[in-house]
Structures are given as structure tokens and as C-alpha cells.
Amino acid sequence: MAAPTFRKEERIVSNRLIEMLFGKGDSQSLSAYPLRAVFLQTDRQASCAPVQILISVPKKRFKHAVDRNRVKRQVREAYRHHKQLLEGVVAEDKQLLIAFIWLSDRHCQTNKVENQVIGILKRIAATS
């Protein structure tokens, strides 16, 4: 089995996709403190991964970039190791967009962040 990876195709970088995720009222939201996940299943775009994510840590929560980057790294690693929980959930012609938003203004241990990401991914898989 190959090591889990997190490729650029798995990131939401398009402003159009971000507006689609947050703009309309079609998206759903789940919370698992200190994270909130907003997700939307939409029609698949050409040459895109079936699941794309966005990680947001507001400047309001952490003033220093080094703190924001640490939190984003923790969430990204947790997702990278457990993204297989979403395999088979998304139909061939559909795409799942997920935004992870950090809610706390304190750092958390990596294993706690990982457990919360696992819980969110399982709940998304159950609803999709």
C-alpha cells in the first residue's frame, strides 16, 4: 500500500468553488470542536479530485502566522492519513467540497485534532 499523499488537485483553489461552497444555502455544516466542516456535493469538474478540501484558520483566532500554519498542518495531516474514510462515498460524476474552519483560539494536541477530523469524515460519509 502506498503512503497517503495530499496532492494539489485535492485542494480547493478556485474562487468559483469557494463561492459555491459558502455562497448558496445548499451546503451542510458539522461541528466537532475545535473544528467546523462545511461541505457540499456538486457536479464533478474535469480533471479534479473527487474530494477537495480547504483549511481556514482565521487571523482573529491566531494573530501570528506561525500559529495559523501549525494548526493548518495538523488538520492537513489528519485529513491526509484518514481520507480513505470518504472512498466510495462520492459518485463517479459528483465531487465533494469540504472546508475545515478552526473555531478555537487555543492550540490543541495533534491526536485530539486527528480524532475530531476522523469524526467529521465519518459523519460526512454517513450523510453523503
Short mmCIF file of all heavy atoms in Angstrom, two decimals, residues 66-116:
data_model
loop_
_atom_site.label_atom_id
_atom_site.label_comp_id
_atom_site.label_asym_id
_atom_site.label_seq_id
_atom_site.Cartn_x
_atom_site.Cartn_y
_atom_site.Cartn_z
N VAL A 66 2.74 31.83 12.23
CA VAL A 66 3.33 30.55 12.62
C VAL A 66 2.30 29.69 13.36
O VAL A 66 2.25 28.47 13.19
CB VAL A 66 4.63 30.77 13.44
CG1 VAL A 66 4.34 31.42 14.76
CG2 VAL A 66 5.37 29.46 13.63
N ASP A 67 1.45 30.32 14.16
CA ASP A 67 0.40 29.58 14.88
C ASP A 67 -0.68 29.08 13.93
O ASP A 67 -1.14 27.95 14.04
CB ASP A 67 -0.22 30.47 15.97
CG ASP A 67 0.78 30.84 17.05
OD1 ASP A 67 1.63 30.00 17.39
OD2 ASP A 67 0.72 31.98 17.54
N ARG A 68 -1.07 29.93 12.99
CA ARG A 68 -2.07 29.52 11.99
C ARG A 68 -1.55 28.36 11.14
O ARG A 68 -2.26 27.39 10.87
CB ARG A 68 -2.48 30.70 11.11
CG ARG A 68 -3.22 31.79 11.83
CD ARG A 68 -3.84 32.79 10.88
NE ARG A 68 -2.89 33.47 10.01
CZ ARG A 68 -2.21 34.57 10.34
NH1 ARG A 68 -2.36 35.11 11.54
NH2 ARG A 68 -1.39 35.14 9.49
N ASN A 69 -0.28 28.46 10.74
CA ASN A 69 0.31 27.41 9.92
C ASN A 69 0.41 26.09 10.66
O ASN A 69 0.22 25.02 10.07
CB ASN A 69 1.69 27.84 9.42
CG ASN A 69 1.62 28.96 8.42
OD1 ASN A 69 0.57 29.20 7.82
ND2 ASN A 69 2.72 29.67 8.25
N ARG A 70 0.68 26.14 11.95
CA ARG A 70 0.76 24.91 12.75
C ARG A 70 -0.59 24.20 12.78
O ARG A 70 -0.68 22.99 12.59
CB ARG A 70 1.22 25.21 14.17
CG ARG A 70 1.22 23.97 15.03
CD ARG A 70 1.77 24.24 16.42
NE ARG A 70 1.82 23.00 17.17
CZ ARG A 70 1.10 22.79 18.25
NH1 ARG A 70 0.29 23.72 18.71
NH2 ARG A 70 1.18 21.64 18.88
N VAL A 71 -1.64 24.96 13.01
CA VAL A 71 -2.98 24.38 13.06
C VAL A 71 -3.36 23.81 11.71
O VAL A 71 -3.90 22.70 11.61
CB VAL A 71 -4.01 25.44 13.55
CG1 VAL A 71 -5.41 24.94 13.40
CG2 VAL A 71 -3.71 25.83 14.98
N LYS A 72 -3.07 24.55 10.63
CA LYS A 72 -3.38 24.04 9.29
C LYS A 72 -2.62 22.75 9.00
O LYS A 72 -3.16 21.83 8.39
CB LYS A 72 -3.06 25.10 8.23
CG LYS A 72 -4.06 26.24 8.22
CD LYS A 72 -3.87 27.12 7.01
CE LYS A 72 -2.85 28.17 7.27
NZ LYS A 72 -2.78 29.19 6.20
N ARG A 73 -1.38 22.69 9.44
CA ARG A 73 -0.58 21.48 9.24
C ARG A 73 -1.19 20.30 9.98
O ARG A 73 -1.24 19.18 9.46
CB ARG A 73 0.86 21.73 9.70
CG ARG A 73 1.81 20.63 9.31
CD ARG A 73 3.25 20.93 9.70
NE ARG A 73 3.58 22.34 9.57
CZ ARG A 73 3.96 23.13 10.58
NH1 ARG A 73 4.07 22.68 11.77
NH2 ARG A 73 4.24 24.38 10.38
N GLN A 74 -1.66 20.53 11.21
CA GLN A 74 -2.27 19.45 11.98
C GLN A 74 -3.52 18.91 11.27
O GLN A 74 -3.71 17.70 11.16
CB GLN A 74 -2.67 19.94 13.38
CG GLN A 74 -1.51 20.14 14.31
CD GLN A 74 -1.96 20.71 15.64
OE1 GLN A 74 -2.76 21.64 15.69
NE2 GLN A 74 -1.46 20.14 16.72
N VAL A 75 -4.37 19.81 10.80
CA VAL A 75 -5.60 19.40 10.13
C VAL A 75 -5.28 18.70 8.82
O VAL A 75 -5.86 17.66 8.49
CB VAL A 75 -6.53 20.61 9.89
CG1 VAL A 75 -7.75 20.21 9.09
CG2 VAL A 75 -6.95 21.23 11.22
N ARG A 76 -4.34 19.24 8.07
CA ARG A 76 -3.96 18.66 6.78
C ARG A 76 -3.41 17.24 6.96
O ARG A 76 -3.75 16.32 6.22
CB ARG A 76 -2.93 19.56 6.10
CG ARG A 76 -2.65 19.21 4.67
CD ARG A 76 -1.84 20.28 3.96
NE ARG A 76 -0.68 20.76 4.71
CZ ARG A 76 -0.52 22.01 5.14
NH1 ARG A 76 -1.41 22.93 4.89
NH2 ARG A 76 0.56 22.35 5.81
N GLU A 77 -2.56 17.04 7.96
CA GLU A 77 -2.00 15.71 8.21
C GLU A 77 -3.07 14.73 8.65
O GLU A 77 -3.08 13.58 8.22
CB GLU A 77 -0.90 15.79 9.27
CG GLU A 77 0.41 16.29 8.73
CD GLU A 77 0.99 15.35 7.69
OE1 GLU A 77 1.31 14.19 8.01
OE2 GLU A 77 1.13 15.78 6.53
N ALA A 78 -3.98 15.17 9.50
CA ALA A 78 -5.06 14.29 9.94
C ALA A 78 -5.93 13.88 8.75
O ALA A 78 -6.30 12.71 8.61
CB ALA A 78 -5.90 14.98 11.00
N TYR A 79 -6.24 14.84 7.88
CA TYR A 79 -7.03 14.51 6.70
C TYR A 79 -6.26 13.56 5.78
O TYR A 79 -6.81 12.59 5.27
CB TYR A 79 -7.41 15.79 5.93
CG TYR A 79 -8.05 15.47 4.60
CD1 TYR A 79 -9.38 15.06 4.54
CD2 TYR A 79 -7.33 15.54 3.42
CE1 TYR A 79 -9.97 14.73 3.33
CE2 TYR A 79 -7.91 15.22 2.21
CZ TYR A 79 -9.22 14.82 2.17
OH TYR A 79 -9.80 14.49 0.98
N ARG A 80 -4.99 13.83 5.57
CA ARG A 80 -4.17 13.02 4.67
C ARG A 80 -4.14 11.56 5.12
O ARG A 80 -4.24 10.65 4.31
CB ARG A 80 -2.75 13.58 4.63
CG ARG A 80 -1.83 12.88 3.67
CD ARG A 80 -0.47 13.56 3.62
NE ARG A 80 0.31 13.35 4.83
CZ ARG A 80 1.13 12.32 5.03
NH1 ARG A 80 1.25 11.39 4.12
NH2 ARG A 80 1.81 12.23 6.15
N HIS A 81 -4.04 11.33 6.41
CA HIS A 81 -3.96 9.97 6.92
C HIS A 81 -5.31 9.25 6.91
O HIS A 81 -5.34 8.01 6.90
CB HIS A 81 -3.39 9.95 8.34
CG HIS A 81 -1.92 10.18 8.38
ND1 HIS A 81 -1.00 9.26 7.94
CD2 HIS A 81 -1.20 11.26 8.77
CE1 HIS A 81 0.22 9.74 8.09
NE2 HIS A 81 0.13 10.96 8.58
N HIS A 82 -6.41 9.99 6.92
CA HIS A 82 -7.72 9.35 7.07
C HIS A 82 -8.69 9.66 5.95
O HIS A 82 -9.89 9.43 6.09
CB HIS A 82 -8.32 9.76 8.42
CG HIS A 82 -7.46 9.35 9.57
ND1 HIS A 82 -7.36 8.06 9.99
CD2 HIS A 82 -6.62 10.07 10.34
CE1 HIS A 82 -6.50 7.99 11.00
NE2 HIS A 82 -6.04 9.20 11.22
N LYS A 83 -8.21 10.17 4.83
CA LYS A 83 -9.10 10.50 3.72
C LYS A 83 -9.74 9.27 3.09
O LYS A 83 -10.75 9.38 2.40
CB LYS A 83 -8.38 11.33 2.67
CG LYS A 83 -7.29 10.61 1.92
CD LYS A 83 -6.63 11.55 0.96
CE LYS A 83 -5.47 10.88 0.25
NZ LYS A 83 -4.81 11.80 -0.66
N GLN A 84 -9.20 8.09 3.33
CA GLN A 84 -9.78 6.88 2.77
C GLN A 84 -11.16 6.59 3.37
O GLN A 84 -11.91 5.80 2.81
CB GLN A 84 -8.85 5.67 2.96
CG GLN A 84 -8.78 5.14 4.37
CD GLN A 84 -7.72 5.82 5.23
OE1 GLN A 84 -7.12 6.80 4.82
NE2 GLN A 84 -7.52 5.31 6.43
N LEU A 85 -11.53 7.26 4.45
CA LEU A 85 -12.88 7.11 5.01
C LEU A 85 -13.95 7.61 4.04
O LEU A 85 -15.11 7.21 4.13
CB LEU A 85 -13.00 7.87 6.33
CG LEU A 85 -12.15 7.36 7.49
CD1 LEU A 85 -12.20 8.32 8.66
CD2 LEU A 85 -12.60 5.98 7.91
N LEU A 86 -13.56 8.47 3.11
CA LEU A 86 -14.50 9.03 2.13
C LEU A 86 -14.50 8.27 0.81
O LEU A 86 -15.25 8.62 -0.10
CB LEU A 86 -14.19 10.50 1.87
CG LEU A 86 -14.36 11.44 3.06
CD1 LEU A 86 -13.91 12.83 2.70
CD2 LEU A 86 -15.79 11.44 3.54
N GLU A 87 -13.64 7.23 0.69
CA GLU A 87 -13.59 6.47 -0.55
C GLU A 87 -14.91 5.73 -0.76
O GLU A 87 -15.48 5.15 0.16
CB GLU A 87 -12.45 5.45 -0.52
CG GLU A 87 -11.10 6.06 -0.78
CD GLU A 87 -10.00 5.01 -0.78
OE1 GLU A 87 -10.30 3.80 -0.68
OE2 GLU A 87 -8.83 5.41 -0.86
N GLY A 88 -15.39 5.76 -1.98
CA GLY A 88 -16.62 5.06 -2.31
C GLY A 88 -17.88 5.82 -1.93
O GLY A 88 -18.98 5.39 -2.24
N VAL A 89 -17.75 6.94 -1.25
CA VAL A 89 -18.91 7.72 -0.83
C VAL A 89 -19.39 8.62 -1.95
O VAL A 89 -20.58 8.82 -2.15
CB VAL A 89 -18.56 8.56 0.43
CG1 VAL A 89 -19.67 9.52 0.78
CG2 VAL A 89 -18.25 7.64 1.59
N VAL A 90 -18.44 9.14 -2.73
CA VAL A 90 -18.75 10.10 -3.78
C VAL A 90 -18.97 9.34 -5.09
O VAL A 90 -18.15 8.52 -5.49
CB VAL A 90 -17.60 11.12 -3.93
CG1 VAL A 90 -17.94 12.16 -4.97
CG2 VAL A 90 -17.29 11.77 -2.60
N ALA A 91 -20.07 9.64 -5.76
CA ALA A 91 -20.37 9.01 -7.05
C ALA A 91 -19.36 9.46 -8.10
O ALA A 91 -18.68 10.48 -7.94
CB ALA A 91 -21.79 9.39 -7.49
N GLU A 92 -19.28 8.70 -9.18
CA GLU A 92 -18.28 8.96 -10.23
C GLU A 92 -18.44 10.34 -10.87
O GLU A 92 -17.46 10.99 -11.20
CB GLU A 92 -18.42 7.88 -11.31
CG GLU A 92 -17.29 7.86 -12.29
CD GLU A 92 -15.98 7.36 -11.71
OE1 GLU A 92 -16.02 6.53 -10.78
OE2 GLU A 92 -14.94 7.83 -12.18
N ASP A 93 -19.68 10.81 -11.01
CA ASP A 93 -19.92 12.10 -11.66
C ASP A 93 -20.09 13.25 -10.67
O ASP A 93 -20.41 14.36 -11.05
CB ASP A 93 -21.15 12.01 -12.56
CG ASP A 93 -22.41 11.69 -11.78
OD1 ASP A 93 -22.29 11.10 -10.68
OD2 ASP A 93 -23.51 12.03 -12.26
N LYS A 94 -19.85 13.00 -9.40
CA LYS A 94 -20.00 14.02 -8.36
C LYS A 94 -18.66 14.37 -7.74
O LYS A 94 -17.67 13.67 -7.90
CB LYS A 94 -20.95 13.53 -7.25
CG LYS A 94 -22.38 13.31 -7.70
CD LYS A 94 -23.04 14.62 -7.99
CE LYS A 94 -24.50 14.42 -8.35
NZ LYS A 94 -25.16 15.68 -8.61
N GLN A 95 -18.66 15.47 -7.00
CA GLN A 95 -17.47 15.96 -6.33
C GLN A 95 -17.89 16.45 -4.95
O GLN A 95 -18.95 17.06 -4.79
CB GLN A 95 -16.87 17.10 -7.15
CG GLN A 95 -15.65 17.73 -6.57
CD GLN A 95 -15.14 18.85 -7.45
OE1 GLN A 95 -15.89 19.44 -8.23
NE2 GLN A 95 -13.87 19.17 -7.32
N LEU A 96 -17.07 16.19 -3.95
CA LEU A 96 -17.34 16.62 -2.59
C LEU A 96 -16.36 17.73 -2.22
O LEU A 96 -15.15 17.54 -2.31
CB LEU A 96 -17.21 15.43 -1.63
CG LEU A 96 -17.53 15.68 -0.17
CD1 LEU A 96 -18.99 16.07 0.01
CD2 LEU A 96 -17.22 14.45 0.65
N LEU A 97 -16.90 18.88 -1.83
CA LEU A 97 -16.09 20.01 -1.40
C LEU A 97 -16.22 20.14 0.11
O LEU A 97 -17.34 20.16 0.64
CB LEU A 97 -16.56 21.30 -2.06
CG LEU A 97 -16.65 21.31 -3.58
CD1 LEU A 97 -17.27 22.61 -4.07
CD2 LEU A 97 -15.28 21.11 -4.18
N ILE A 98 -15.10 20.21 0.81
CA ILE A 98 -15.12 20.31 2.27
C ILE A 98 -14.24 21.47 2.69
O ILE A 98 -13.10 21.60 2.24
CB ILE A 98 -14.59 19.02 2.94
CG1 ILE A 98 -15.35 17.79 2.46
CG2 ILE A 98 -14.66 19.14 4.45
CD1 ILE A 98 -14.75 16.48 2.93
N ALA A 99 -14.75 22.30 3.59
CA ALA A 99 -13.96 23.38 4.19
C ALA A 99 -13.87 23.12 5.69
O ALA A 99 -14.90 22.98 6.36
CB ALA A 99 -14.60 24.74 3.94
N PHE A 100 -12.65 23.01 6.19
CA PHE A 100 -12.43 22.88 7.63
C PHE A 100 -12.12 24.27 8.17
O PHE A 100 -11.20 24.94 7.70
CB PHE A 100 -11.24 21.95 7.92
CG PHE A 100 -11.49 20.51 7.60
CD1 PHE A 100 -11.00 19.95 6.45
CD2 PHE A 100 -12.24 19.72 8.45
CE1 PHE A 100 -11.21 18.62 6.15
CE2 PHE A 100 -12.47 18.38 8.17
CZ PHE A 100 -11.95 17.84 7.01
N ILE A 101 -12.88 24.69 9.18
CA ILE A 101 -12.71 26.02 9.77
C ILE A 101 -12.38 25.84 11.25
O ILE A 101 -13.11 25.15 11.97
CB ILE A 101 -13.98 26.87 9.60
CG1 ILE A 101 -14.33 26.97 8.12
CG2 ILE A 101 -13.80 28.25 10.21
CD1 ILE A 101 -15.70 27.49 7.84
N TRP A 102 -11.31 26.47 11.68
CA TRP A 102 -10.86 26.37 13.08
C TRP A 102 -11.67 27.33 13.93
O TRP A 102 -11.79 28.51 13.61
CB TRP A 102 -9.37 26.69 13.16
CG TRP A 102 -8.77 26.38 14.49
CD1 TRP A 102 -8.51 27.25 15.49
CD2 TRP A 102 -8.36 25.09 14.96
NE1 TRP A 102 -7.96 26.60 16.55
CE2 TRP A 102 -7.86 25.27 16.25
CE3 TRP A 102 -8.38 23.82 14.41
CZ2 TRP A 102 -7.36 24.21 17.01
CZ3 TRP A 102 -7.88 22.77 15.16
CH2 TRP A 102 -7.38 22.97 16.44
N LEU A 103 -12.22 26.85 15.05
CA LEU A 103 -13.10 27.67 15.89
C LEU A 103 -12.43 28.17 17.18
O LEU A 103 -12.85 29.18 17.73
CB LEU A 103 -14.35 26.86 16.28
CG LEU A 103 -15.22 26.36 15.14
CD1 LEU A 103 -16.33 25.48 15.68
CD2 LEU A 103 -15.78 27.52 14.36
N SER A 104 -11.44 27.46 17.65
CA SER A 104 -10.84 27.79 18.94
C SER A 104 -9.73 28.83 18.79
O SER A 104 -9.17 29.01 17.71
CB SER A 104 -10.25 26.51 19.56
OG SER A 104 -9.58 26.81 20.75
N ASP A 105 -9.42 29.50 19.89
CA ASP A 105 -8.28 30.42 19.86
C ASP A 105 -7.11 29.85 20.67
O ASP A 105 -6.25 30.58 21.13
CB ASP A 105 -8.66 31.82 20.35
CG ASP A 105 -9.41 31.81 21.66
OD1 ASP A 105 -9.65 30.71 22.19
OD2 ASP A 105 -9.76 32.89 22.14
N ARG A 106 -7.13 28.54 20.83
CA ARG A 106 -6.03 27.83 21.51
C ARG A 106 -5.56 26.67 20.65
O ARG A 106 -6.33 26.10 19.89
CB ARG A 106 -6.50 27.29 22.86
CG ARG A 106 -6.87 28.35 23.84
CD ARG A 106 -7.37 27.72 25.13
NE ARG A 106 -7.78 28.76 26.03
CZ ARG A 106 -7.08 29.10 27.11
NH1 ARG A 106 -5.97 28.48 27.40
NH2 ARG A 106 -7.50 30.06 27.89
N HIS A 107 -4.31 26.31 20.83
CA HIS A 107 -3.77 25.13 20.15
C HIS A 107 -4.33 23.87 20.81
O HIS A 107 -4.65 23.88 21.99
CB HIS A 107 -2.24 25.09 20.25
CG HIS A 107 -1.58 26.10 19.38
ND1 HIS A 107 -1.50 25.97 18.02
CD2 HIS A 107 -0.95 27.26 19.68
CE1 HIS A 107 -0.85 26.99 17.52
NE2 HIS A 107 -0.51 27.81 18.51
N CYS A 108 -4.43 22.81 20.04
CA CYS A 108 -4.85 21.52 20.56
C CYS A 108 -3.78 20.49 20.23
O CYS A 108 -3.01 20.67 19.29
CB CYS A 108 -6.17 21.08 19.92
SG CYS A 108 -7.57 22.03 20.47
N GLN A 109 -3.78 19.42 20.99
CA GLN A 109 -2.84 18.35 20.71
C GLN A 109 -3.19 17.70 19.38
O GLN A 109 -4.36 17.64 18.99
CB GLN A 109 -2.87 17.31 21.82
CG GLN A 109 -2.35 17.83 23.14
CD GLN A 109 -2.39 16.75 24.21
OE1 GLN A 109 -2.93 15.67 24.00
NE2 GLN A 109 -1.83 17.07 25.37
N THR A 110 -2.19 17.22 18.70
CA THR A 110 -2.38 16.65 17.38
C THR A 110 -3.34 15.46 17.40
O THR A 110 -4.18 15.32 16.50
CB THR A 110 -1.02 16.23 16.79
OG1 THR A 110 -0.18 17.39 16.75
CG2 THR A 110 -1.16 15.67 15.39
N ASN A 111 -3.26 14.63 18.42
CA ASN A 111 -4.16 13.46 18.46
C ASN A 111 -5.62 13.88 18.67
O ASN A 111 -6.53 13.24 18.14
CB ASN A 111 -3.72 12.44 19.51
CG ASN A 111 -3.68 13.01 20.91
OD1 ASN A 111 -3.89 14.20 21.12
ND2 ASN A 111 -3.38 12.16 21.87
N LYS A 112 -5.86 14.97 19.37
CA LYS A 112 -7.24 15.46 19.52
C LYS A 112 -7.76 16.01 18.19
O LYS A 112 -8.90 15.74 17.80
CB LYS A 112 -7.32 16.55 20.58
CG LYS A 112 -8.74 17.05 20.76
CD LYS A 112 -8.88 18.10 21.83
CE LYS A 112 -10.34 18.49 21.90
NZ LYS A 112 -10.59 19.61 22.76
N VAL A 113 -6.93 16.76 17.48
CA VAL A 113 -7.31 17.28 16.16
C VAL A 113 -7.59 16.11 15.22
O VAL A 113 -8.58 16.10 14.49
CB VAL A 113 -6.21 18.20 15.59
CG1 VAL A 113 -6.53 18.60 14.16
CG2 VAL A 113 -6.04 19.43 16.46
N GLU A 114 -6.74 15.09 15.26
CA GLU A 114 -6.92 13.92 14.41
C GLU A 114 -8.23 13.20 14.72
O GLU A 114 -8.97 12.82 13.81
CB GLU A 114 -5.73 12.97 14.59
CG GLU A 114 -5.71 11.85 13.61
CD GLU A 114 -4.39 11.08 13.65
OE1 GLU A 114 -3.45 11.51 14.33
OE2 GLU A 114 -4.34 10.04 12.98
N ASN A 115 -8.55 13.04 15.99
CA ASN A 115 -9.82 12.39 16.37
C ASN A 115 -11.02 13.19 15.89
O ASN A 115 -12.02 12.62 15.45
CB ASN A 115 -9.88 12.19 17.89
CG ASN A 115 -8.93 11.12 18.36
OD1 ASN A 115 -8.54 10.24 17.60
ND2 ASN A 115 -8.52 11.21 19.61
N GLN A 116 -10.95 14.51 15.97
CA GLN A 116 -12.06 15.34 15.52
C GLN A 116 -12.22 15.27 13.99
O GLN A 116 -13.33 15.23 13.48
CB GLN A 116 -11.88 16.79 15.96
CG GLN A 116 -11.79 16.97 17.47
CD GLN A 116 -13.01 16.48 18.22
OE1 GLN A 116 -13.68 15.54 17.84
NE2 GLN A 116 -13.31 17.13 19.33
#
